[in-house]
Amino acid sequence: MKHPFAITLDTGSSLANLTGSWRTERPVYVDRLPPCNNACPAGENIQQWLYHAESGDYEQAWRSLTLDNPMPAVMGRVCYHPCEVSCNRAQLDEAVGINSVERFLGDEAIRRGWKFDKPAKKSGKRVLIVGAGPSGLSAAYHLARLGHAVAIHEAGPLAGGMMRFGIPKYRLPRDILDAEVKCILDLGVELKLNAKVDRISDAMKAGGFDAAFLAVGAHIAKRAYIPAGSAAKILDAVQVLRSMEGEDRPMLGRRVVVYGGGNTALDMARTAKRLGATEAIIVYRRTRERMPAHDFEVEEALEEGVMMKWLSTIKRADEGVLTVEKMVLDEKGFPQPTGEVETLEADSLILALGQDVDLSLLDGVPGLEVKDGVVQVAPNMMTGHAGIFAGGDMVPSERTVTVAIGHGKKAARHIDAWLRGGTYAPAEKHELAGFDKLNTWYYADAPKTVRPMLELARRTDTFDEVQQGLDETNALYEARRCLSCGNCFECDNCYGVCPDNAVIKLGPGNRFKFNYDYCKGCGLCATECPCGAIRMVPEQI
Ligand SMILES: Cc1cc2nc3c(=O)[nH]c(=O)nc-3n(C[C@H](O)[C@H](O)[C@H](O)COP(=O)(O)OP(=O)(O)OC[C@H]3O[C@@H](n4cnc5c(N)ncnc54)[C@H](O)[C@@H]3O)c2cc1C
Ligand code: SF4
Ligand code: SF4
Ligand code: SF4
């Protein structure tokens, strides 16, 4: 049985009576948009792939998921899962563990060697992608599946972008990243490494490309002016994290101070601990509540012994010692100096203050608009120059892997249409299946599965993965917690409750239809549908 947590009624046995013309409303079967789908920046059809997963058809679930996002094993580790924040189940007990099921499916695909289907027909068009981060890889994947010849030019020695040279191994093991990158390349995508594009127009001309998608990310570390003695050791977090991929481990010393409050600062401090720092202290000018880093990241860092110094700025750096000024928040929540200073011992100071974009490859391209250091794009992801599209961290947006992957998909669809001389119009969105559309009486309590964590002792001195995956039993249980918001899951309730036998069963997978000759429009089916897949509409007279 698919939904053990949904109770179904026995089918009705009343004798059918032909309805007169006095019905004022009629029920119609509808599909509504589940809030999880609506919130996923990669536009995954979560409800649908969970539906396949809960019946144990993991390959079908993976195939359905990867129509939108080619990297579920990566997503299941690094996505901040806004889908779960929006999940209706959170209002019943706890959100469905969408992210952990996604990871299970991604890992299962790697283990079993599932491959993407190659396109049946080639378009004969060539697209250049600049940058092999999540956005470039996602665009390459979607364009390749649409039949275009794709070449990625990547400045670095390996693909992955910030997934490899930013996010530490203890959150994303590299064999997982490598496996999902390979799966994309196996579609026939050409990857040129150590191939920095200096001028986009030259690269397009040289390769005879019909269009380009730029996804160069944001890699230039922002600096703060901090007066410093000549012997002070000041480093950039993105450079230090990048060097973790090399042969030599960075030498940070025993007391490491990280300046900043975002996820990079957290990753840097946790990495410093693993490299042997006895003290790793994050200095941030606001309070914990105002940190851009996610709460769970702060929690995990605190568990590992990272220390936090809130409401503090660094005024000066000297060899082995920093001068720190205390701050207070004004009524608008902005930090203001107090003039009160103290010293903090530190062998190195690592700046994690955000990154700027290197846009030099766009020099001389007419029509572009650059604002606040990022390239402006139209709703179709095209820059002001026809045929040059852009996405990910280099355009105005939230900077996450999932947003970058979503941009790659969106751009690919528009590039495909543009290459074919048309425009891409996304399907209109269904009405949202909010919590008020559900009849939760039919769902039993089923607490969320807890994701196992590596024991603390091994978290501070190894780069082993901290968060563990679900086994099949737990993944299946978790998928079955889905309420199937707004989409019929064939529970038979409407069929069972209809007093007039006006519901006709169309067989497994084909759902139902109404026999309006018998329906009196009582609305019982719509009220008793657990997931809001029936709407009552006024009768046309
Ligand atoms: C330390 C850290 C931790 C993070 N953790 C998370 C997380 O847990 N979850 C999350 O969702 N997001 C996280 N992020 C943010 C996320 O990594 C980025 O938003 C995302 O990688 C952006 O993708 P992108 O494809 O736009 O760019 P990138 O990932 O930066 O990739 C750009 C690629 O382009 C290449 N390139 C640049 N210039 C050129 C050129 N001229 N020619 C050819 N190639 C070029 C680069 O070498 C790079 O490989 C983190 C970021 C950092 C720094
Ligand atoms: S990519 Fe992120 S937001 Fe989308 S389904 Fe996966 S965890 Fe949720
Ligand atoms: S219960 Fe299922 S369909 Fe509904 S929001 Fe949550 S994951 Fe999506
Ligand atoms: S439409 Fe009918 S069968 Fe489908 S979920 Fe609703 S009550 Fe169940």
Side-chain angles (χ1 to χ4, degrees), residues 77-80 130-136 153-156 158-163 165-168 171 195-198 215-219 238 241-242 263-264 267 297 355 358 361 391-394 398-402 404:
R77 290 169 166 86
V78 307
C79 180
Y80 297 121
V130 186
S135 206
H153 290 194
E154 163 55 51
L158 288 166
M162 281 301 185
M163 296 185 291
F165 293 106
I167 300 174
R171 292 206 290 121
K196 183 166 190 262
V197 171
D198 292 316
V216 298
H219 290 234
V238 274
L241 289 170
R242 188 179 182 86
N263 51 18
T264 307
D267 281 340
E297 291 180 295
Q355 293 97 243
D358 178 359
L361 83 164
D393 282 4
M394 70 178 294
E398 198 189 340
R399 289 183 172 175
T400 70
V401 173
T402 325

Side-chain angles (χ1 to χ4, degrees), residues 14 140 397 498 516:
S14 69
S397 68
C498 178
Y516 291 114

Side-chain angles (χ1 to χ4, degrees), residues 168-171 244 249 270-272 274-275 454 458-459 461-466:
K169 289 188 178 97
Y170 60 81
R171 292 206 290 121
M244 292 298 299
R249 292 282 163 99
R270 294 174 73 184
T271 297
R274 284 165 172 80
L275 286 172
L454 188 70
R458 282 172 63 205
R459 271 167 59 180
D461 59 3
T462 74
F463 282 85
D464 292 353
E465 188 169 18
V466 170

Side-chain angles (χ1 to χ4, degrees), residues 76 84 97-105 449 451 470 475 478:
E84 293 187 22
I98 302 166
N99 185 250
S100 52
V101 181
E102 185 171 31
R103 168 175 167 162
F104 170 79
L105 294 174
T449 320
R451 293 170 95 160
L470 302 183
E478 203 50 46

